[in-house]
């Protein structure tokens, strides 16, 4: 398979978007195409991630909607969905298509509009990503499912509630420096611990946000990337995709096998090890999720992920910068766009364009995106050209 | 890219399914794996098509649900959606993945559960595949959109209402011989014309069905297909995918550019011409849709598609057998499964297993699957091994 590069990126600000789903798509899509510096006519296909506009906005079939909105009417399009991993799944489909030689240049995007909905409708829409027969229908929404993981984790490795809260504190601090982030508010461990309880031990400050947002990237075969684009190229050097059972009753919830397996595939393809990663956008739907994932990605020993945050190892100047964007927790979590917004951040960092939140000497970056109770995982690894 | 083959197929009977979405998936998926004669452990990924279970059953994130239901828990999975072309889009993603060398053997499936819902909920769920802002919200549901196409077609090419009705008559006659079909009822042109009006000139007998159903196929790299499977192999020799604007106001609705463009890609890849096709499952959400598509696929001159049906050219012993399964009209239309059920029929015919409805000397077959107002089109071409 051919090598593939990211040649353009674009995203909206996350949070309450002052416009329609189409407006959001137009803004982020046009930014990415402009950033790539290519003529639209080079684009051959669109891979689009949306989680649940059919429920929240009554709109399915968003592939052609995106094409039309961007003036690319007759392109082949597809919408993909894998809960909160939706954006990265779209990316992986586009990546495979270019790597295979099917297309040379494709547009990959994602969007979600959520802030117009009531909390019950948001909760219900999100709960559709769990097993509806066995989990959602008996009231097991995602905060409660991940609260189970947190409690079990405390049972196995000791109560690290304060250290875990530091993940939220750090992500808020990073988001404070990110103009696209939804939250620009510094918080403390006490604020996290004393937040409105959601599902013990998680408070509202352990939970990611309800957001509108859209993000797009332009992918091209590496062999033509230089020739067609403005030259601000970042190469995709690894990709992994794995799954596990939809419902949690039969699986380990303090280590996510989907993350472990996807990471193995991505590291092998890239020919690197965890310690080669300079920065990683890691799925932090809840603080506990980030902690467990950073261990499963091989950054830290099992049971030490929270301590690593408290010790500053995940800070922008730490061992591996985790969520320099602010993460799902503080940058925002517009489901279908989240994975692509992670990639937006990784590429921005590898280009050296992250301003005040720049990770120094960032050479290799990763995005890690999870769906449901870790039932879907997609990981991509990116490298700047030296 | 490598050549890819279908090594296993399975489907449920279409219509009202006596069980859950999971039951349906289990039945069709296990049939396909058994038919392939392979050990489950060879399967490396699942590509799954579902249109709107998030709306009709409150269930998103169906990739891992399918994996778990079939005892394939840790496989990477994806759900794709492109309105009524959903099943074929899933197929094309699986095809690309195997052709690229990413995986050697994958499972592709689709399912939809619809009969448990009320007519207004079904109509609303289906209308989400049109442009919600510009079409659905002002009452333009799909029967009315395709009724516009029919009226415009009559305006351009003359009123062929009786000949058009023959498409429904013929599809019902084919379904009569298909044990998996929802309808086993022979009809006449008079019955079609005097049916309950839906949107002039379309009556209920011009419209496809509301169905439950699931269909799966197993795909393998052709180079290993013989070695791993029972040997009842059909090769995929062409594939095409194209789009057009989601809403109809700016496009030609008596010729579908998505069909024309996808057909060009598929024919070119296969190195064949329309007259080489022995049988085709052609998207017939409405009788007029089948007529227009058979012209755009190059089987008949523009304006002569209805006459061709009336003259018997699309019968099982005609020039090109159209919808020997009974089509969406009479076999059924469980949205996410439809494209894969079309492929089930094509493979069954090319294997010579179609019993009473067998198309004689079937050597090359096509499935043609459309989404929305022809805003998404996927075509695949299959060939039996001589």
């Amino acid at each position: 398979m051919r090598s593939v590069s990211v040649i353009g990126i674009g995203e909206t600000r996350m949070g309450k978007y002052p416009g329609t789903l189409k407006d959001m798509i137009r803004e982020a899509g046009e930014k990415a195409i402009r950033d790539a510096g290519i003529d639209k006519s080079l684009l051959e296909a669109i891979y689009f991630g949306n989680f649940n506009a059919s429920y929240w906005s009554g709109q399915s079939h968003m592939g052609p909607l995106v094409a039309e909105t961007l003036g690319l009417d007759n392109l082949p399009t597809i919408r993909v969905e894998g809960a909160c991993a939706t954006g990265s799944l779209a990316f992986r489909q586009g990546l495979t298509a270019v790597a295979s030689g099917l297309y040379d240049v494709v547009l990959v995007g994602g969007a979600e509009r959520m802030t117009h909905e009531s909390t019950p409708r948001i909760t219900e829409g999100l709960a559709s990503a769990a097993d509806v027969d066995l989990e959602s229908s008996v009231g097991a929404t995602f905060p409660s499912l991940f609260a189970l993981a947190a409690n079990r984790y405390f049972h196995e490795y000791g109560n690290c509630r304060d250290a875990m809260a530091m993940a939220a504190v750090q992500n808020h601090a990073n988001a404070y420096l990110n103009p696209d982030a939804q939250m620009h508010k510094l918080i403390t461990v006490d604020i996290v611990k004393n937040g409105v309880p959601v599902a013990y031990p998680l408070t509202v400050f352990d939970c990611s946000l309800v957001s509108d947002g859209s993000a797009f990237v332009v992918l091209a075969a590496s062999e033509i990337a230089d020739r067609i684009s403005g030259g601000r190229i970042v190469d995709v050097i690894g990709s992994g995709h794995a799954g596990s059972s939809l419902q949690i009753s039969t699986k380990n919830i303090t280590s996510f096998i989907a993350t472990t397996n996807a990471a193995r595939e991505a590291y092998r393809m890239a020919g690197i090890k965890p310690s080669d990663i300079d920065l990683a956008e890691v799925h932090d739907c809840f603080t506990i999720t980030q902690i467990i994932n950073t261990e499963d990605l091989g950054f830290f020993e099992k049971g030490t992920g929270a301590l690593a945050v408290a010790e500053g190892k995940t800070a922008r100047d730490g061992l591996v910068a985790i969520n320099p964007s602010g993460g799902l927790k503080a940058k925002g979590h517009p489901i279908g766009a989240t994975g692509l917004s992670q990639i937006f951040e990784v590429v921005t960092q590898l280009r050296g364009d992250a301003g005040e939140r720049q990770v120094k000497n960032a050479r290799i970056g990763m995005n890690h995106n999870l769906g449901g109770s870790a039932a879907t995982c997609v990981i991509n690894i990116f490298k700047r050209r030296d």
Side-chain angles (χ1 to χ4, degrees), chain A:
Chain A
M1 289 202 278
R2 301 190 293 181
S3 172
V4 180
S5 305
V6 178
I7 63 169
I9 55 172
E11 72 175 13
T12 62
R13 194 176 155 182
M14 308 299 150
K16 187 158 184 62
Y17 191 83
T20 65
L21 200 49
K22 286 180 188 172
D23 293 335
M24 207 184 290
I25 288 163
R26 189 179 299 109
E27 180 189 332
E30 287 184 351
K31 277 179 173 171
I33 296 167
R34 202 159 52 234
D35 181 63
I38 59 165
D39 191 273
K40 275 184 187 181
S41 64
L42 285 178
L43 294 166
E44 294 168 88
I46 298 175
Y47 293 82
F48 188 71
N50 172 264
F51 169 54
N52 215 353
S54 66
Y55 187 76
W56 290 323
S57 304
Q59 183 69 67
S60 304
H61 205 193
M62 288 188 66
L65 179 143
V66 172
E68 187 174 0
T69 299
L70 294 170
L72 298 163
D73 285 29
N74 295 345
L75 289 195
T77 68
I78 187 170
R79 170 207 168 196
V80 309
E81 183 263 319
C84 300
T86 292
S88 295
L89 276 175
F91 182 85
R92 185 165 159 101
Q93 297 312 107
L95 179 67
T96 305
V98 176
S100 74
L102 179 63
Y103 304 120
D104 288 329
V105 190
V106 303
L107 184 65
V108 182
E112 206 80 45
R113 188 160 177 255
M114 303 174 75
T115 67
H116 65 298
E117 279 286 11
S118 65
T119 302
R121 290 265 305 171
I122 287 295
T123 304
E124 207 171 349
L126 289 170
S128 74
D131 187 308
V132 169
D133 294 340
L134 301 176
E135 295 178 327
S136 320
S137 62
V138 293
T141 57
F142 281 104
S144 66
L145 290 167
F146 280 96
L148 291 174
N151 284 306
R152 180 73 203 178
Y153 187 92
F154 291 176
H155 174 76
E156 288 179 18
Y157 300 111
N159 189 318
C160 55
R161 208 286 168 252
D162 284 26
M164 184 174 85
M166 276 300 295
V169 173
Q170 190 181 89
N171 288 347
H172 273 254
N174 285 337
Y176 194 75
L177 304 175
N178 182 355
D180 288 340
Q182 183 167 350
M183 283 283 171
H184 291 119
K185 178 179 171 179
L186 297 172
I187 58 171
T188 63
V189 169
D190 277 344
I191 289 176
V192 176
K193 287 167 67 181
N194 296 319
V196 177
V198 175
Y200 183 83
L202 308 176
T203 75
V204 72
F205 285 100
D206 290 284
C207 304
S208 54
L209 307 172
V210 172
S211 318
D212 304 329
S214 180
F216 277 76
V217 307
V218 180
L219 287 178
S222 298
E223 63 203 34
I224 63 162
D226 260 324
R227 181 163 52 79
I228 64 168
S229 80
R232 295 160 53 68
I233 295 167
V234 166
D235 296 320
V236 188
I237 61 169
S239 178
H241 176 197
S244 69
S245 66
L246 186 59
Q247 46 91 26
I248 67 164
S249 70
T250 55
K251 67 183 178 187
N252 185 342
I253 52 172
T254 58
S255 174
F256 301 142
I257 193 169
T259 294
T260 319
N261 286 344
R264 189 182 308 117
E265 182 185 358
Y267 285 134
R268 188 183 297 148
M269 180 176 162
I272 65 165
K273 49 191 187 310
S275 60
D276 294 322
I277 302 284
D278 298 309
L279 72 122
E281 290 283 309
V282 174
H283 200 88
D284 59 324
C285 49
F286 301 96
T287 46
I288 184 64
T289 325
Q290 174 177 321
I291 303 301
I292 293 174
N293 280 316
T294 54
E295 297 167 358
D296 291 333
L297 289 166
F299 298 140
F300 310 112
E301 293 294 310
K302 280 315 292 178
T304 69
L307 189 65
V309 181
E311 287 175 344
K313 290 181 181 163
T314 62
R316 293 195 306 281
D317 59 356
L319 208 61
V320 51
I322 302 293
N323 289 328
S325 74
L328 285 56
K329 174 68 203 84
K331 186 191 59 188
H333 187 18
I335 315 288
T338 289
L340 291 152
S341 178
Q342 290 181 324
I343 292 167
F344 178 95
E345 176 70 11
V346 172
V347 171
T348 301
Q349 290 281 354
L350 295 180
R351 284 176 172 182
D353 287 348
E356 285 189 274
R357 69 182 191 287
Q358 180 67 44
V359 174
K360 290 211 179 67
N361 304 316
R363 221 177 119 257
I364 299 182
M366 165 193 278
N367 94 294
H368 164 276
N369 199 186
L370 215 58
S373 308
T376 297
C377 181
V378 181
I379 292 171
N380 298 288
I381 302 176
F382 302 83
K383 191 177 174 190
R384 111 178 155 213
R385 293 195 169 178
D386 293 317

